[in-house]
Amino acid sequence: GQQLNQSPQSMFIQEGEDVSMNCTSSSIFNTWLWYKQDPGEGPVLLIALYKAGELTSNGRLTAQFGTTRKDSFLNISASIPSDVGIYFCAGRDAGGTSYGKLTFGQGTILTVHP
Amino acid sequence: DTEVTQTPKHLVMGMTNKKSLKCEQHMGHRAMYWYKQKAKKPPELMFVYSYEKLSINESVPSRFSPECPNSSLLNLHLHALQPEDSALYLCASSQEATGFEPQHFGDGTRLSIL
């Protein structure tokens, strides 16, 4: 089935540094979503993208829908300790017939050292 | 606070027990989902309900039985589970089940099978 390649798998950074992570797919996607999950909680939606080339910000977070429609990236600027968590990309395959079915990346585990 | 509420937060049960997980949303969403999540892995889709009807069953074993009594409620009935079924069970909802609308997750039920 469809797979998303999310990288990096984990990151260890200093507080104040910028972070970048990305997801690529083997087929065209028509929706890209970025979620963050804290321990003991469910994934929280950070940014939703719907058009190729779309660039959207949410505070210190910026995400883009790649122009090829096969990739997306998430940037976090000036990281702080509460950015720690697992970040998941998710998307819907444009050729998919299973309505409502999202494909998830494997996640990026972010650790921020004070 | 999440707008998707799941109860209980934690559940420990034996392999012969019968229990139910409950999910509630009051956002007027017409699509609801059950996911299973293992530690540090992405959520895996189990079931999708659209307008209170089951639209996707991802070949889930029959010991998991979903139920959607109305548009706001989603249950997952559990019977004769196996130790490998221990996981975080997440409920999510979205406006529709087309996949274009983002899914919003609850904080999950942490299930342990003895």
Side-chain angles (χ1 to χ4, degrees):
Chain A
Q2 175 60 257
Q3 291 188 1
L4 285 182
N5 295 313
Q6 183 172 350
S7 65
Q9 290 186 352
S10 61
M11 301 183 74
F12 298 83
I13 63 170
Q14 291 293 129
E15 183 177 358
E17 290 183 0
D18 297 344
V19 172
S20 184
M21 59 192 78
N22 69 82
C23 273
T24 59
S25 68
S26 56
S27 59
I28 291 173
F29 273 38
N30 57 23
T31 304
W32 284 99
L33 307 171
W34 285 93
Y35 289 90
K36 182 195 177 199
Q37 187 170 22
D38 291 330
E41 299 183 8
V44 173
L45 181 68
L46 299 174
I47 293 178
L49 303 161
Y50 301 104
K51 295 192 318 186
E54 181 180 356
L55 183 71
T56 297
S57 293
N58 178 4
R60 292 178 296 106
L61 279 59
T62 302
Q64 184 161 28
F65 193 137
T67 54
T68 65
R69 299 176 65 189
K70 292 184 177 182
D71 62 344
S72 178
F73 72 76
L74 175 70
N75 285 344
I76 306 173
S77 63
S79 60
I80 59 178
S82 61
D83 290 334
V84 165
I86 304 179
Y87 291 79
F88 290 104
C89 64
R92 182 175 182 270
D93 189 339
T97 56
S98 294
Y99 290 105
K101 185 172 180 178
L102 291 178
T103 302
F104 282 83
Q106 291 301 303
T108 295
I109 301 172
L110 179 63
T111 303
V112 180
H113 295 288
Chain B
D1 288 339
T2 179
E3 295 181 83
V4 177
T5 304
Q6 291 187 243
T7 56
K9 281 195 163 312
H10 302 276
L11 180 61
V12 179
M13 56 186 289
M15 289 190 283
T16 59
N17 292 156
K18 286 185 180 181
K19 296 285 185 184
S20 297
L21 309 185
K22 296 186 182 303
C23 175
E24 189 169 4
Q25 58 88 14
H26 293 291
M27 295 179 282
H29 289 174
R30 304 315 301 264
M32 296 186 77
Y33 311 78
W34 280 115
Y35 287 87
K36 173 183 178 181
Q37 187 181 31
K38 292 285 197 178
K40 297 186 179 180
K41 297 293 186 183
E44 299 172 30
L45 183 66
M46 300 173 72
F47 303 103
V48 180
Y49 272 83
S50 177
Y51 287 85
E52 301 158 48
K53 293 197 184 323
L54 183 66
S55 60
I56 296 177
N57 176 341
E58 290 288 283
S59 302
V60 179
S62 59
R63 57 186 184 269
F64 295 91
S65 176
E67 178 196 20
C68 190
N70 60 56
S71 60
S72 300
L73 294 175
L74 187 65
N75 298 322
L76 186 62
H77 303 297
L78 314 173
H79 175 53
L81 295 194
Q82 304 298 308
E84 61 266 26
D85 296 324
S86 297
L88 181 68
Y89 287 83
L90 293 164
C91 174
S93 70
S94 63
Q95 190 67 40
E96 300 280 346
T98 63
F100 293 100
E101 302 81 14
Q103 296 178 20
H104 299 269
F105 287 83
D107 283 338
T109 293
R110 176 74 58 190
L111 177 65
S112 298
I113 307 300
L114 301 179

